[in-house]
Amino acid sequence: MPRDIPVGNGQMLVTFDELYRVRDLYFPHVGQENHAGGGPCRFGVWADLPAPSTDDRRRNRLYWTDQGWRIERKYQPDTLATDVTLAHDGLQLKLRCCDVVDFHRPVLVRRIEIANLVDKSREVRLFHHHDVQMFGTRLGDTAYYDPQLRSLIHYRKSRYLMACFYVNGEPQIDDYATGTAGFQGAEGTWRDAEDGRLGNNAIAQGSVDSTMMCRAHLPANGKTVVYLVLACGSQIGDLEELHAFLHRESPQGVIDRTTAYWRLWLSAAWSDITDEHPDAIPPKVLDLFKRSLLLVRTQIDNDGAIIAANDSDYMQFSRDTYSYLWPRDGALVADAMDAAGFPDLARSFFTFCNRIVSEGGYFLHKYNPDGSPASSWHPWVDGNGQPQLPIQEDETALVVWAVWRHFSRYRDIEFVRPLWMRMIRPAADFMVRFRDPDTHLPLPSYDLWEERFGVHAFTVATVYGGLRAAYRFAVSFGDTRRAARYKQAADEVKAAFCRRMWSDRLGRFVRRITPVDAKRTAMLVDEVRQGRAPRPEGSDGFEELSDHNGNGSSRKRKARRAAAADVEYEVDPVIDASMYAIFAMGLLPVEDERVARTMAAIREELWIKTDVGGVARYTDDYYHQVTQDTDRVPGNPWFICTLWLAEYEIARATTLEGLEEAMRVLEWTADHALASGVLAEQVHPETNAPLSVSPLTWSHATVVSTVVKYMNKFEDLTEGGPPHDKPRRRRATDPVPLTGGD
C-alpha cells in the first residue's frame, strides 16, 4: 500500500497506508528503527447505527477504517499537515482529521473532528490500536498504563512511546487494554474492542500491543473534537517533558505552530519567478513542486542521511526495505534541494558523506541512517572467485559533482575546505586510479539500477562530471598537480567513451560494455584495492601518469595504443533511459548529434504505449513487470525516467516554444501523482496504480530539479532576461570566475 501522507521532522517520521492506519513510525532516525513496521495500527469508531440494515445484528457497532469508510487523503496546502476525511454511511458520521509531527519535538498530534449527520445526540467511542515493536522486533517489550501521564506506554531499553487521547486540553483514556500480539496465534488487543469496551489489563510484556478508547458526546447535527497523541523518547523523562509540553501548548497549539513553520520553511524555495511571470508554471505543476520539497524533507534525517524511501510494505517483496542512504540518490536529491534554495540540507548531507567515505576514496553500496554500512547484494568477488569492488562508481562520482555545484552556488569556502581534504581529493584520486590503463575507461562496477556489472554509459558520464568537478576544486585550491591529473583523466574518459561506446550499427550510444578478459579486469581491480594505479600493458614499472600532459615517449604511446586496441568488450545493445546522463553530466554537449540520436531512441523505444504513458527504465524491465508485451510496454513507467526527457527538452530549448514539450512532461507527472501529490517509484502501465515504494525521494527530487531548470531556462529565454533591478541568481551551471579555471 502506498504511504501517501507521511509527516515528520527529521527525527520522527510517521507514515500511513491507504486505510489511514499508522504503518511506520521511525525514531530517532528517519529510516532506522521502525517501531510500527510489523502491522497496522488500527483506528476505528464505535457508535449506534441510526438505520440498521438486515446485515446488522447489533444496534451498536465498531467500524475500523477498513470496514466501509470512504477515505480521502491529502495535505493542507503548502505545509506538512494532513487533511483526511472519512465518511461512513452506516454510522452516519463524518470525520475530518489533521496530522502533524511537531517541527521540533518527536510528537505526532492528530485532530479528529467528528460530525454527527443525524438529528439526535449520540455517544461515540474512538479506538486506536498500537501494534508497536520497539527497535523493530517483537522481543522483550513492555506495554502498560501510566496513571500519572494518563497514557499508554510502550518501552524497551532506550526507546519509549506514549499514546493517549486529549479532550478539552486534558489526556483522556476511558478504557485501555494491553496484551499479547503476534505470538501463538494471538491477534492483539484490537479484537477486544469489538464490543465497544476494553478489559483494562494494565500491563503486558514480551510480544505485546495495546488499544485505547475515548468517549465523546455528539449533539444532534453537531460536531466535537478529540485529539490523538503519539510521542517518542529515549527515557521516561522524555515522555514526562513532552506531556508537560502538550499541557502547556495544547495539542491544537502544536498543530498551529507546525503548520505555520512548514509554510515559513517553504517560503525559502526558489519560486519567485512565478510572481514575475505568473503564467510560466501551471498551478498543478507548481503545487507538485512545493509538495515535492516538503515530501523530500520528510525523508531526510537530521544527521544528514537522505533516505530513498520509507515504506515497510516493500519487505513483503524482498525482506528488505528502501530505508537506506544510497550516495547516488542522496547526491542528486541534495543537488535538487540546494538549487531550490535549501543549502543547509545539502551541507548536512555532504558532512555525512565526509564521515562515511572509505579510506580508499569510494563509497559502498548503501548506508544506514546512522552512517554504518547497510545490507548489500554486491559481492567482493566475481563468479570465478576473482576480486572486485562491490560498488556503483557513479555514487562516488556524483557526491563530488554535487559538492562542486553547491560550492559554485554559495562559495562557502570554510565549509568546503575539510571536504576537499578528507573526501573530495581521495574520491577524485580513486576515480583516476579506477580506470583501465589501456582504454582509459572506468573499470567495471555495478550500474545505477543495481542489476548489472560492467562499464555503463551512466557511470562513465558521472565519472567525467566528478573528475571535472575535482579539477575545478583543485584549481580553486591552487593544487596545480592534481588539477592537471584530474583534467587529463576526464579528457581521457571522454575520448574513450566516444570511441568505445558509440555504435554505428545502432546509430546511438550503448548503455554498457563489459571486458571480455575477466581475469585481466580482476588483476586491475586488485591493484586499485591495494592503493595503486593499474599499469598499462607493456609498461616496465608503476606510473600514475607519465607527465602532466599524459605524454611519454613516442614508442610508449604506440605500445599503449596497440594494447588498448587489444582490449575487447562485449556490447549490451539494450536501450536505457539512464543514458540521459551523457548530456546532463556534461560528457557531451546537448547539441551533439550523437546525443540527439540517443535521446530520440529513448523517447521512441521506451515510451509506454498505453493510456498511462511515461518512460520505462529499459526494454524488458523485469522489476515489478506486469506484462510480457514489451513492444507496447517495454517496462513500467518511472517518474524519474520520464522527467529526464523533460530535462533534455529544457537543456536544448532555444525558444520559449522549445520548452512546451518539457512542460507537457511535467504536467503528465502531476496528472499521474496520487491525490495527495505523492509520487511512487513507478506506476502500473495500465491502471496508474503505484508500484514498488511510495513516496520515492528520488522521484520528488527530480520534480524539484526539473522545475528549477525549467524556471531558469524560462527566465533566460524571456525577452530582456532577468529583471534589471535585481542580480542574476547564481547557478551551478554558471561559469565560476576563479583564477586558473576553465
Side-chain angles (χ1 to χ4, degrees), residues 326 328 365-366 377-378 392 395 446-452:
W326 275 262
R328 168 190 49 258
H365 181 185
K366 52 192 170 82
W377 53 89
H378 294 339
Q392 302 161 31
E395 299 200 276
Y446 286 92
D447 66 341
L448 79 162
W449 307 131
E450 309 180 304
E451 297 169 346
R452 294 165 184 84

Side-chain angles (χ1 to χ4, degrees), residues 149 151-153 160-164 229-232 239 242-243 246:
L149 298 178
S151 303
L152 286 169
I153 308 295
Y160 283 74
L161 182 140
M162 177 177 71
C164 63
V229 169
L230 299 176
C232 292
L239 301 185
L242 289 171
H243 182 269
L246 287 162

Side-chain angles (χ1 to χ4, degrees), residues 33-107:
E33 297 184 25
N34 185 0
H35 307 295
C41 295
R42 293 168 171 83
F43 176 45
V45 181
W46 181 96
D48 64 308
L49 298 171
S53 70
T54 56
D55 296 330
D56 297 312
R57 300 182 180 180
R58 294 178 297 179
R59 185 169 178 271
N60 302 295
R61 186 170 173 181
L62 168 65
Y63 286 93
W64 300 105
T65 55
D66 61 349
Q67 297 174 313
W69 292 89
R70 298 192 309 278
I71 305 172
E72 295 182 3
R73 306 168 311 281
K74 55 184 179 179
Y75 289 100
Q76 294 182 26
D78 300 344
T79 189
L80 273 176
T82 70
D83 184 4
V84 182
T85 58
L86 305 93
H88 200 286
D89 294 335
L91 291 176
Q92 287 292 287
L93 292 173
K94 185 174 182 179
L95 278 58
R96 185 167 187 178
C97 301
C98 170
D99 304 88
V100 303
V101 168
D102 182 73
F103 72 84
H104 185 63
R105 291 175 169 83
V107 55

Side-chain angles (χ1 to χ4, degrees), residues 713-736:
K713 182 57 76 76
F714 183 93
E715 188 176 71
D716 289 343
L717 296 175
T718 300
E719 184 176 357
H724 298 295
D725 60 347
K726 68 176 183 179
R728 181 186 180 91
R729 301 175 186 87
R730 182 177 293 139
R731 307 171 190 169
T733 51
D734 284 341
V736 180

Side-chain angles (χ1 to χ4, degrees), residues 109 351 421:
V109 174
T351 301
M421 299 299 295

Side-chain angles (χ1 to χ4, degrees), residues 275-450:
D275 296 329
E276 301 154 12
H277 306 285
D279 297 328
I281 307 290
K284 64 182 177 183
V285 174
L286 187 59
D287 287 345
L288 180 61
F289 170 70
K290 292 187 287 186
R291 180 55 54 200
S292 292
L293 288 167
L294 290 163
L295 283 166
V296 167
R297 183 61 184 93
T298 68
Q299 309 300 302
I300 300 178
D301 185 74
N302 285 346
D303 287 343
I306 298 175
I307 308 305
N310 290 288
D311 181 348
S312 63
D313 270 359
Y314 190 74
M315 289 189 67
Q316 307 305 316
F317 178 79
S318 68
R319 298 308 301 165
D320 206 343
T321 70
Y322 277 45
S323 295
Y324 302 111
L325 162 74
W326 275 262
R328 168 190 49 258
D329 298 38
L332 293 169
V333 173
D335 180 66
M337 299 301 283
D338 198 62
F342 299 93
D344 289 344
L345 295 176
R347 292 187 186 102
S348 183
F349 168 72
F350 298 141
T351 301
F352 183 93
C353 291
N354 198 43
R355 297 199 311 267
I356 65 173
V357 66
S358 72
E359 291 185 3
Y362 55 84
F363 291 97
L364 293 173
H365 181 185
K366 52 192 170 82
Y367 296 84
N368 293 305
D370 63 4
S372 58
S375 60
S376 178
W377 53 89
H378 294 339
W380 288 83
V381 294
D382 63 20
N384 297 316
Q386 298 295 322
Q388 66 179 30
L389 284 179
I391 65 170
Q392 302 161 31
E393 193 187 3
D394 65 272
E395 299 200 276
T396 299
L398 282 168
V399 171
V400 176
W401 169 85
V403 177
W404 171 257
R405 287 167 64 85
H406 166 82
F407 178 65
S408 71
R409 292 180 183 112
Y410 298 101
R411 309 293 179 87
D412 43 358
I413 183 64
E414 292 287 347
F415 169 74
V416 166
R417 176 177 54 83
L419 303 184
W420 164 247
M421 299 299 295
R422 189 185 185 280
M423 180 180 71
I424 298 169
R425 292 197 320 186
D429 291 342
F430 169 77
M431 287 187 283
V432 171
R433 292 195 309 273
F434 196 69
R435 294 185 301 139
D436 188 303
D438 294 307
T439 69
H440 301 304
L441 283 171
L443 289 171
S445 65
Y446 286 92
D447 66 341
L448 79 162
W449 307 131
E450 309 180 304

Side-chain angles (χ1 to χ4, degrees), residues 643-644 646-647 650 666 701-711:
L643 287 164
W644 290 341
E647 292 197 15
I650 293 166
L666 283 165
T702 308
V703 169
V704 171
S705 64
T706 306
V707 170
V708 170
K709 290 170 184 174
Y710 181 93
M711 292 191 292

